[in-house]
Coordinates of all heavy atoms in Angstrom, one line a residue:
G1 N 88.7 48.0 -73.4 CA 88.2 47.4 -72.2 C 86.7 47.5 -72.2 O 86.0 48.1 -73.0
S2 N 86.1 46.8 -71.2 CA 84.7 46.7 -71.0 C 84.0 48.0 -70.6 O 82.8 48.2 -70.9 CB 84.3 45.6 -69.9 OG 84.9 46.0 -68.7
L3 N 84.8 48.9 -70.1 CA 84.2 50.2 -69.7 C 84.5 51.2 -70.8 O 84.2 52.4 -70.6 CB 84.8 50.7 -68.4 CG 84.5 49.8 -67.2 CD1 85.2 50.4 -65.9 CD2 83.0 49.6 -67.0
Q4 N 85.0 50.8 -71.9 CA 85.2 51.6 -73.1 C 86.0 52.9 -72.7 O 85.6 54.0 -73.0 CB 83.9 52.0 -73.7 CG 83.1 50.8 -74.3 CD 81.9 51.2 -75.1 OE1 81.0 51.9 -74.6 NE2 81.7 50.7 -76.3
N5 N 87.2 52.6 -72.2 CA 88.1 53.7 -71.9 C 88.8 54.3 -73.1 O 89.2 53.5 -74.0 CB 89.2 53.2 -70.9 CG 88.7 53.0 -69.5 OD1 87.9 52.0 -69.3 ND2 89.0 53.8 -68.6
N6 N 88.9 55.6 -73.2 CA 89.7 56.2 -74.2 C 91.2 56.3 -73.8 O 91.5 56.8 -72.7 CB 89.2 57.6 -74.6 CG 87.8 57.6 -75.1 OD1 87.4 56.7 -75.8 ND2 87.1 58.7 -74.8
C7 N 92.1 55.8 -74.6 CA 93.5 56.0 -74.4 C 94.0 56.8 -75.6 O 93.6 56.6 -76.7 CB 94.2 54.6 -74.3 SG 93.7 53.7 -72.8
Y8 N 95.0 57.6 -75.3 CA 95.5 58.5 -76.3 C 97.0 58.4 -76.5 O 97.8 58.4 -75.6 CB 95.2 60.0 -75.9 CG 93.7 60.2 -75.7 CD1 93.1 60.1 -74.5 CD2 92.9 60.6 -76.8 CE1 91.8 60.3 -74.3 CE2 91.6 60.8 -76.7 CZ 91.0 60.7 -75.4 OH 89.6 60.9 -75.2
L9 N 97.4 58.2 -77.8 CA 98.8 58.3 -78.1 C 99.1 59.6 -78.7 O 98.6 60.0 -79.8 CB 99.1 57.2 -79.1 CG 100.6 57.1 -79.6 CD1 101.5 56.6 -78.4 CD2 100.8 56.1 -80.7
I10 N 99.9 60.4 -78.0 CA 100.2 61.8 -78.4 C 101.6 61.8 -78.8 O 102.5 61.3 -78.2 CB 99.8 62.8 -77.3 CG1 100.7 62.6 -76.0 CG2 98.3 62.7 -77.0 CD1 100.4 63.7 -75.0
T11 N 101.9 62.5 -79.9 CA 103.2 62.6 -80.5 C 103.6 64.0 -80.9 O 102.8 64.7 -81.5 CB 103.3 61.7 -81.8 OG1 102.9 60.3 -81.4 CG2 104.7 61.7 -82.3
D12 N 104.8 64.4 -80.4 CA 105.4 65.7 -80.8 C 105.9 65.5 -82.3 O 106.8 64.7 -82.5 CB 106.5 66.0 -79.9 CG 107.3 67.3 -80.3 OD1 106.6 68.3 -80.4 OD2 108.5 67.1 -80.7
T13 N 105.2 66.2 -83.2 CA 105.5 66.0 -84.6 C 106.9 66.4 -85.0 O 107.4 65.9 -86.0 CB 104.5 66.7 -85.5 OG1 104.5 68.1 -85.1 CG2 103.1 66.2 -85.3
A14 N 107.5 67.3 -84.2 CA 108.9 67.8 -84.6 C 109.9 66.7 -84.3 O 110.9 66.7 -85.0 CB 109.2 69.1 -83.8
T15 N 109.7 65.9 -83.3 CA 110.7 65.0 -82.8 C 110.3 63.5 -82.9 O 111.1 62.6 -82.8 CB 111.2 65.3 -81.4 OG1 110.0 65.1 -80.5 CG2 111.7 66.7 -81.3
G16 N 109.0 63.3 -83.0 CA 108.5 61.9 -83.0 C 108.4 61.3 -81.6 O 108.0 60.1 -81.4
K17 N 108.7 62.1 -80.5 CA 108.6 61.6 -79.2 C 107.1 61.5 -78.8 O 106.3 62.3 -79.1 CB 109.3 62.5 -78.2 CG 110.8 62.7 -78.4 CD 111.5 61.4 -78.1 CE 113.0 61.5 -78.3 NZ 113.8 60.3 -78.0
S18 N 106.7 60.3 -78.1 CA 105.3 60.1 -77.8 C 105.1 59.8 -76.4 O 106.0 59.5 -75.6 CB 104.8 58.9 -78.6 OG 104.9 59.1 -80.0
A19 N 103.8 60.0 -76.0 CA 103.3 59.6 -74.7 C 102.0 58.9 -74.8 O 101.2 59.2 -75.7 CB 103.2 60.8 -73.8
L20 N 101.7 58.0 -73.9 CA 100.4 57.4 -73.8 C 99.6 57.9 -72.7 O 100.1 57.9 -71.5 CB 100.6 55.9 -73.7 CG 99.3 55.0 -73.6 CD1 98.6 55.1 -74.9 CD2 99.7 53.6 -73.3
V21 N 98.4 58.5 -72.9 CA 97.6 59.0 -71.8 C 96.6 57.9 -71.4 O 95.7 57.5 -72.2 CB 96.8 60.3 -72.3 CG1 96.0 60.8 -71.1 CG2 97.7 61.3 -72.8
D22 N 96.8 57.4 -70.2 CA 96.1 56.3 -69.6 C 96.4 55.0 -70.4 O 96.7 55.0 -71.6 CB 94.6 56.5 -69.5 CG 94.3 57.6 -68.4 OD1 95.2 57.8 -67.5 OD2 93.3 58.3 -68.5
C23 N 96.3 53.9 -69.6 CA 96.7 52.6 -70.2 C 95.8 51.5 -69.6 O 96.1 50.9 -68.6 CB 98.1 52.3 -69.9 SG 98.8 50.9 -70.8
T24 N 94.6 51.3 -70.3 CA 93.6 50.4 -69.8 C 94.0 49.0 -69.7 O 93.6 48.2 -68.8 CB 92.3 50.5 -70.7 OG1 91.9 51.9 -70.6 CG2 91.2 49.6 -70.2
E25 N 94.8 48.5 -70.7 CA 95.1 47.1 -70.8 C 96.4 46.9 -71.5 O 96.9 47.7 -72.3 CB 94.0 46.3 -71.5 CG 93.8 46.8 -72.9 CD 92.5 46.2 -73.6 OE1 91.5 46.0 -72.8 OE2 92.5 46.0 -74.8
D26 N 97.1 45.8 -71.2 CA 98.2 45.3 -72.0 C 97.7 44.2 -72.8 O 97.6 43.0 -72.4 CB 99.3 44.8 -71.1 CG 100.5 44.3 -71.8 OD1 100.6 44.5 -73.1 OD2 101.4 43.7 -71.2
S27 N 97.4 44.5 -74.1 CA 96.7 43.6 -75.0 C 97.3 43.7 -76.4 O 98.1 44.6 -76.6 CB 95.2 43.8 -75.0 OG 95.0 45.2 -75.5
K28 N 97.0 42.8 -77.2 CA 97.5 42.9 -78.6 C 96.9 44.2 -79.2 O 97.7 44.9 -79.9 CB 97.0 41.8 -79.5 CG 97.5 41.8 -80.9 CD 97.0 40.6 -81.7 CE 97.7 40.7 -83.1 NZ 97.3 41.9 -83.9
K29 N 95.7 44.6 -78.9 CA 95.1 45.8 -79.4 C 95.9 47.0 -78.9 O 96.2 47.9 -79.7 CB 93.7 46.0 -79.0 CG 93.0 47.2 -79.5 CD 91.5 47.3 -79.1 CE 90.9 48.6 -79.6 NZ 89.5 48.7 -79.2
M30 N 96.3 47.0 -77.7 CA 97.1 48.1 -77.1 C 98.5 48.2 -77.7 O 99.0 49.2 -78.1 CB 97.2 48.1 -75.6 CG 98.1 49.2 -75.0 SD 97.4 50.8 -75.2 CE 96.0 50.8 -74.0
R31 N 99.1 47.0 -77.9 CA 100.5 46.9 -78.4 C 100.5 47.4 -79.9 O 101.4 48.0 -80.4 CB 101.1 45.6 -78.2 CG 101.3 45.3 -76.8 CD 102.1 44.0 -76.5 NE 102.4 43.8 -75.1 CZ 103.5 43.3 -74.6 NH1 104.4 42.8 -75.4 NH2 103.6 43.2 -73.3
D32 N 99.4 47.0 -80.6 CA 99.3 47.4 -82.0 C 99.1 49.0 -82.1 O 99.6 49.6 -83.0 CB 98.1 46.7 -82.7 CG 98.4 45.3 -83.0 OD1 99.6 44.9 -82.9 OD2 97.4 44.5 -83.3
F33 N 98.3 49.5 -81.1 CA 98.0 50.9 -81.0 C 99.3 51.7 -80.9 O 99.4 52.8 -81.5 CB 97.0 51.1 -79.9 CG 96.6 52.6 -79.7 CD1 95.9 53.3 -80.6 CD2 96.9 53.2 -78.5 CE1 95.5 54.6 -80.4 CE2 96.5 54.5 -78.2 CZ 95.8 55.2 -79.2
I34 N 100.2 51.3 -80.1 CA 101.4 52.0 -79.8 C 102.6 51.6 -80.7 O 103.7 52.1 -80.5 CB 101.8 52.0 -78.3 CG1 102.1 50.6 -77.9 CG2 100.7 52.6 -77.5 CD1 102.7 50.5 -76.5
A35 N 102.4 50.6 -81.5 CA 103.5 50.0 -82.3 C 104.2 51.1 -83.1 O 103.6 51.9 -83.7 CB 102.9 49.0 -83.3
G36 N 105.5 51.1 -82.9 CA 106.4 52.0 -83.7 C 106.6 53.3 -83.0 O 107.4 54.1 -83.4
A37 N 105.9 53.6 -81.9 CA 106.0 54.9 -81.2 C 107.3 54.9 -80.3 O 107.6 53.9 -79.8 CB 104.8 55.1 -80.3
D38 N 107.9 56.0 -80.3 CA 109.0 56.3 -79.4 C 108.4 56.8 -78.1 O 108.4 58.0 -77.8 CB 109.9 57.3 -80.0 CG 111.2 57.5 -79.2 OD1 111.4 56.9 -78.2 OD2 112.0 58.4 -79.6
L39 N 108.0 55.8 -77.3 CA 107.1 56.1 -76.1 C 108.0 56.5 -74.9 O 108.8 55.7 -74.4 CB 106.3 54.9 -75.7 CG 105.0 55.2 -74.9 CD1 104.0 56.0 -75.6 CD2 104.4 53.9 -74.4
E40 N 107.9 57.8 -74.5 CA 108.7 58.3 -73.4 C 107.9 58.2 -72.1 O 108.5 58.0 -71.0 CB 109.1 59.7 -73.6 CG 110.1 59.9 -74.7 CD 111.0 61.1 -74.4 OE1 110.5 62.1 -73.9 OE2 112.2 61.0 -74.7
Y41 N 106.6 58.4 -72.1 CA 105.8 58.5 -70.9 C 104.5 57.7 -71.0 O 103.9 57.6 -72.1 CB 105.4 60.0 -70.6 CG 106.6 61.0 -70.5 CD1 106.8 61.9 -71.5 CD2 107.4 61.0 -69.4 CE1 107.8 62.8 -71.5 CE2 108.5 61.9 -69.3 CZ 108.7 62.8 -70.4 OH 109.7 63.7 -70.4
I42 N 104.0 57.3 -69.8 CA 102.6 56.9 -69.7 C 102.0 57.9 -68.7 O 102.4 57.9 -67.5 CB 102.5 55.5 -69.2 CG1 103.2 54.5 -70.1 CG2 101.0 55.1 -69.0 CD1 103.2 53.0 -69.6
L43 N 101.2 58.8 -69.2 CA 100.6 59.9 -68.4 C 99.3 59.4 -67.8 O 98.3 59.2 -68.6 CB 100.4 61.1 -69.2 CG 101.7 61.6 -70.0 CD1 101.2 62.8 -70.9 CD2 102.7 62.1 -69.0
L44 N 99.2 59.3 -66.5 CA 97.9 58.8 -65.9 C 97.1 59.9 -65.4 O 97.6 60.8 -64.6 CB 98.3 57.8 -64.8 CG 99.0 56.5 -65.3 CD1 99.4 55.7 -64.1 CD2 98.2 55.8 -66.3
T45 N 95.9 60.0 -65.8 CA 95.0 61.1 -65.3 C 94.5 60.8 -63.9 O 94.2 61.7 -63.2 CB 93.8 61.2 -66.2 OG1 93.0 60.0 -66.3 CG2 94.2 61.6 -67.6

């Protein structure tokens, strides 16, 4: 985004379960960023 937000994809290495910390946009860049993740949560700060 224009405000240069950091979003984080965090993954528990033992199980592959993931969460996204903050979600600035629904874009191709974001979808590519989380592609393949077993996303359980969107954690909003």
